[in-house]
């Protein structure tokens, strides 16, 4: 054999070896990519399935677990009211429904027993303000006083301080966050119940906008508002909604 033949064989072997190495590398790379895609698809399918299960459960008003319950919160501002709060409390009790009351300090001082009753019957008491004022139009000190005087009145009435505040007109002073350690609660649905005597109109406005986790704003300050509250509860319970306090709604 010539030396040249050896050279040819050697280069053929080298060439074959290189081809083998490159094929191996390409093969491994392809396997990794395919595996990755399969995993991603599997994950996507799992997420999709979980979503579908959740939707199906909510659609059937499912109460399989706490997370699948459709929750909604009724809130009543400006009370307690000696004429309408007792009627409302009776109706809520009949239906086993807890609500949240954002009360005025002046009214709490006049009707502490109503606040105590509401608290004892499982309702959440929150601060509205002392007098019905726009806190933004006050100095910081005056605004803090509005909150603290109301909270003292609540404490005197039911033995507990409130942790939640709904400032009148939804106007909170952001710079008070540090001085007043309360959770601000606004609303999702405002049927303007105070501006009408038609309970039906209030119900209609609420039902057209309500969805899961809605916070509904009402006032325990008129006969029509109380009637509207009762109808809203009956209609939404029939649709599979469960009423909770805003605290329970916000905790999730
Ligand atoms: Ni108000």
């Amino acid at each position: 054999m010539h030396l040249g033949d050896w050279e040819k064989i050697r280069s053929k072997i080298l060439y074959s070896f290189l081809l083998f190495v490159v094929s191996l590398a390409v093969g491994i790379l392809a396997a990794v990519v395919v595996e990755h895609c399969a995993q991603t698809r599997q994950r996507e399918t799992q997420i999709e399935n979980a979503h579908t299960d959740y939707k199906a459960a909510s659609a059937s008003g499912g109460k399989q677990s706490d997370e699948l319950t459709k929750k909604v919160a009724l809130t009543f501002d400006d009370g307690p009211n000696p004429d309408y709060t007792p009627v409302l409390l009776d109706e809520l009790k009949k239906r086993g429904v807890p609500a949240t009351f954002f009360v005025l300090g002046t009214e709490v001082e006049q009707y502490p027993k109503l606040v105590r009753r509401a608290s004892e019957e499982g309702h959440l008491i929150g601060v509205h303000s002392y007098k019905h004022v726009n806190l933004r139009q006050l100095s910081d000190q005056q605004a803090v006083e509005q909150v603290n005087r109301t909270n003292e009145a609540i404490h005197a009435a039911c033995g507990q301080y409130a942790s939640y505040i709904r400032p009148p007109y939804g106007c909170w002073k952001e710079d008070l966050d540090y001085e007043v350690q309360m959770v601000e609660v606004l609303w999702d649905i405002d049927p303007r119940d105070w501006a009408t005597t038609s309970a039906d109109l209030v119900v209609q406005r609420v039902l057209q906008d309500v969805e899961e986790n809605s916070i509904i704003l009402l006032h325990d300050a008129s006969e029509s508002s109380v009637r509207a509250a009762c109808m809203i509860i009956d209609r939404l319970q029939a649709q599979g909604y469960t009423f909770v306090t805003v605290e329970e709604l916000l905790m999730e």
Side-chain angles (χ1 to χ4, degrees):
M1 217 181 271
H2 294 286
L3 203 63
D5 291 338
W6 274 113
E7 285 285 319
K8 271 183 201 160
I9 290 168
R10 219 178 61 184
S11 64
K12 257 187 190 168
I13 290 171
L14 199 68
Y15 176 73
S16 304
F17 180 71
L18 275 176
L19 202 67
F20 171 73
V21 167
V22 169
S23 309
L24 197 69
V26 168
I28 289 171
L29 194 70
V32 166
V33 168
V34 166
E35 173 65 13
H36 178 76
C37 288
Q39 275 180 5
T40 308
R41 235 189 341 265
Q42 199 183 353
R43 240 195 332 267
E44 278 169 1
T45 313
Q46 278 169 356
I47 292 168
E48 234 165 67
N49 287 346
H51 245 84
T52 314
D53 289 351
Y54 177 78
K55 271 190 196 152
S58 338
S60 66
K63 288 181 183 170
Q64 290 93 329
S65 82
D66 199 42
E67 295 83 56
L68 299 181
T69 306
K70 286 197 293 183
K71 289 177 182 169
V72 66
L74 277 182
T75 62
F76 297 91
D77 286 10
D78 299 0
N81 180 297
D83 298 321
Y84 304 109
T85 307
V87 186
L88 176 64
L89 289 174
D90 289 344
E91 297 296 331
L92 293 174
K93 198 183 206 173
K94 264 190 229 164
R95 292 165 172 81
V97 163
T100 305
F101 292 85
F102 290 102
V103 294
L104 292 172
T106 51
E107 309 312 296
V108 179
E109 285 178 357
Q110 279 193 74
Y111 312 106
K113 281 182 184 167
L114 286 177
V115 178
R116 191 188 318 148
R117 181 184 161 192
S119 173
E120 282 172 358
E121 292 180 1
H123 305 293
L124 182 69
I125 310 296
V127 169
H128 200 28
S129 59
Y130 187 72
K131 292 176 179 174
H132 203 280
V133 285
N134 184 337
L135 299 178
R136 268 187 213 153
Q137 290 170 355
L138 303 181
S139 68
D140 283 5
Q141 196 197 335
Q142 287 170 322
V144 168
E145 202 181 298
Q146 284 282 323
V147 177
N148 289 346
R149 272 183 87 177
T150 308
N151 224 345
E152 285 303 333
I154 291 171
H155 182 258
C158 64
Q160 283 175 23
Y161 287 104
S163 310
Y164 297 86
I165 181 167
R166 171 176 286 155
Y169 319 106
C171 295
W172 180 238
K173 284 166 82 89
E174 302 302 335
D175 49 326
L176 289 189
D177 278 345
Y178 186 72
E179 283 180 76
V180 179
Q181 307 242 322
M182 302 194 87
V183 179
E184 188 193 8
V185 178
L186 296 179
W187 57 86
D188 302 303
I189 301 176
D190 175 9
R192 296 166 59 84
D193 62 319
W194 51 269
T196 176
T197 53
S198 166
D200 290 330
L201 183 62
V202 174
V203 175
Q204 185 198 320
R205 285 171 176 168
V206 170
L207 293 182
Q208 75 190 10
D209 290 335
V210 75
E211 54 184 21
E212 212 171 322
N213 297 325
S214 289
I215 296 177
I216 302 165
L217 168 60
L218 291 168
H219 299 78
D220 45 340
S222 74
E223 193 265 331
S224 58
S225 287
V226 173
R227 224 153 25 89
C230 296
M231 289 193 272
I232 290 164
I233 293 167
D234 296 341
R235 294 283 292 276
L236 292 185
Q237 280 186 333
Q239 288 178 28
Y241 281 94
T242 297
F243 287 85
V244 295
T245 62
V246 292
E247 183 166 54
E248 199 180 325
L249 206 69
L250 298 175
M251 267 190 320
E252 296 194 346

